[in-house]
Amino acid sequence: VLEIGSGGGRDALELEKRGIGVRRTDISKGFVELLRESGFEADLLDPLTEDLADPQRPGTPYDGIWACACLIHVAREDFGTVLGRLAEATRPGGR
């Protein structure tokens, strides 16, 4: 699962408890640094402009996207673009 807006990492931990692999990402350098300091891999990622492909599994779409309470920060005029890009990064039938 590609997590957009990982923040402090609470949601990713819950997903991992359920056996789900998570790629933690955030647009905020501070949150990415916090996650890394806590021992997690995390990527600085802007879902509007940057490559969403998983660098560890090139060409493999995600089974799902987790974007809890972070898409409210996307500008209205960019919202459709971000949703489209997330959909393209997800396998057919993915969540």
Side-chain angles (χ1 to χ4, degrees), residues 30-51:
F31 276 130
V32 170
E33 289 173 354
L34 176 70
L35 289 166
R36 289 176 179 167
E37 289 168 4
S38 297
F40 299 106
E41 287 186 31
D43 297 313
L44 189 62
L45 182 72
D46 183 340
L48 177 63
T49 60
E50 296 183 275
D51 185 1

